[in-house]
Amino acid sequence: MNTPHDEQAARELLQQSSGRITPARIGVLGILLEAKAALSHQEIEQLATQQGLSFDRVTLYRALDWLVEQGMAHKISGADRTWRYNAQTGTAHQHAHFHCNHCQQVFCLENLQPAFMLSLPPGYQLEQVEVNLQGTCPACQPKT
């Protein structure tokens, strides 16, 4: 459930943008800030409903697209061809993603920087990175 802290953090991030601060943008960004893993449109919609937020699917898609355009969120293409979204605060989105084949969650691995980012051949300029790893997350590991 969105906490007042998440809502306040979302409001503060939105105030730094040039766009309008709408209830949908506050609610969606608050949900993304609270999430431990990247969320699909459907998961965001379910959480919004649970939190008493009322906006239709088109408004949700528009809010997500706007947050991505503003650099406040990024979207990740899942192995199941479903877009997932995660809040992005601060630096540009240049990290790896881990898709758990068991629980289907996608995690941003902020501290895992692909080595090739530091060693591109002369003349190449990096603009975007998308590294997707697949396996089993810690929560789905068999207990020994």
Side-chain angles (χ1 to χ4, degrees):
M1 172 111 4
N2 244 3
T3 65
H5 174 72
D6 297 322
E7 185 176 324
Q8 183 60 33
R11 197 176 286 279
E12 288 172 9
L13 284 170
L14 289 168
Q15 287 172 341
Q16 298 171 16
S17 74
S18 59
R20 292 182 342 179
I21 300 174
T22 66
R25 291 175 181 174
I26 293 168
V28 172
L29 186 53
I31 288 168
L32 294 178
L33 287 168
E34 181 184 7
K36 304 292 185 233
L39 301 173
S40 69
H41 176 272
Q42 183 178 9
E43 291 167 325
I44 296 167
E45 187 175 34
Q46 288 170 348
L47 288 168
T49 300
Q50 290 171 7
Q51 296 175 14
L53 301 174
S54 177
F55 40 82
D56 59 34
R57 286 184 177 184
V58 173
T59 301
L60 176 54
Y61 275 117
R62 287 181 181 155
L64 286 167
D65 286 344
W66 186 85
L67 291 169
V68 169
E69 287 170 13
Q70 297 298 310
M72 294 180 201
H74 65 272
K75 65 182 184 176
I76 305 148
S77 176
D80 59 358
R81 297 186 180 176
T82 298
W83 286 111
R84 288 184 172 75
Y85 298 84
N86 204 352
Q88 176 174 307
T89 56
T91 59
H93 170 229
Q94 304 264 329
H95 57 262
H97 299 109
F98 188 91
H99 176 262
C100 179
N101 292 324
H102 296 275
C103 67
Q104 303 303 314
Q105 290 193 58
V106 176
F107 302 90
C108 290
L109 302 177
E110 302 289 344
N111 295 325
L112 181 63
Q113 299 295 321
F116 64 81
M117 290 176 58
L118 304 173
S119 61
L120 284 174
Y124 289 88
Q125 182 176 347
L126 184 64
E127 294 177 4
Q128 183 177 346
V129 174
E130 187 168 322
V131 176
N132 294 307
L133 307 170
Q134 294 185 29
T136 306
C137 73
C140 293
Q141 292 285 335
K143 306 296 184 225
T144 55

